[in-house]
Amino acid sequence: MPPKKKKEEKLRIVTPSGKRDQSFFDLVYEVVRQIPYGRITSYGAVAACLGAKSSARMVGWAMNGSHRVRPKVPAHRVVNRNGMLSGKFHFGTPTAMENLLKKEGIQVKDDRVIDFKKLFWDPADELGV
DNA sequence: ACGCTGACTATTA
DNA sequence: CTAATAGCCAGCG
């Protein structure tokens, strides 16, 4: 028999503590995954789409665990209301987020997205909410 | 169980 | 324009 390993990595969505959770976090991940290539959105927009516009912080916290979620969540496409890469420090390297955005054709200057307004993708609009 | 922290946002000075 | 403050709510020590 094959040896094994494997562990219980079958966890899907998980909270930062590592336990399964299907609440707000899961919804956030799904919405963020809908962000098309070369587009970006804000925490507040996602939160508002979920009916919790006042809980933008929770969206940001959800992103904190996005790295361990499958499929991968394009957290680099989520920035704050000013188009600033507030979460760049939470990636592998401080430049990873900026690098990824530039790779998708998004211009970044001084930790801020150029034409943020133009590239902004409203989840409520695409999800028909 | 209580209190602090935080990848946010809006308001006010 | 920048700075400070309040509201928000889940996770962690």
Side-chain angles (χ1 to χ4, degrees):
Chain A
M1 320 262 90
K4 31 308 259 83
K5 70 129 332 327
K6 259 319 5 308
K7 263 188 157 225
E8 62 308 19
E9 76 317 279
K10 237 7 322 278
L11 302 174
R12 292 204 203 152
I13 158 72
V14 292
T15 54
S17 60
K19 72 178 178 187
R20 283 182 289 170
D21 192 304
Q22 272 192 327
S23 49
F24 193 75
F25 291 65
D26 201 6
L27 297 173
V28 172
Y29 299 141
E30 283 196 52
V31 173
V32 175
R33 271 191 234 117
Q34 309 311 308
I35 303 174
Y37 184 93
R39 292 293 197 102
I40 52 181
T41 191
S42 67
Y43 302 96
V46 177
C49 180
L50 299 175
K53 60 182 194 319
S54 303
S55 304
R57 281 180 155 172
M58 301 300 86
V59 177
W61 196 249
M63 301 273 85
N64 193 11
S66 64
H67 286 287
R68 73 187 75 190
V69 181
R70 258 84 71 180
K72 175 185 161 312
V73 177
H76 61 278
R77 291 180 188 151
V78 184
V79 296
N80 70 3
R81 193 69 178 100
N82 294 311
M84 196 165 144
L85 311 184
S86 46
K88 60 180 283 185
F89 296 107
H90 289 264
F91 283 78
T93 61
T95 56
M97 188 174 184
E98 185 178 326
N99 189 25
L100 285 166
L101 289 173
K102 285 183 176 176
K103 207 158 122 175
E104 299 193 358
I106 300 175
Q107 295 178 305
V108 180
K109 183 84 170 189
D110 194 41
D111 298 338
R112 205 175 62 186
V113 177
I114 309 294
D115 293 323
F116 168 71
K117 236 173 11 179
K118 209 189 288 190
L119 297 170
F120 184 78
W121 178 82
D122 188 348
D125 183 55
E126 290 297 310
L127 298 177
V129 181

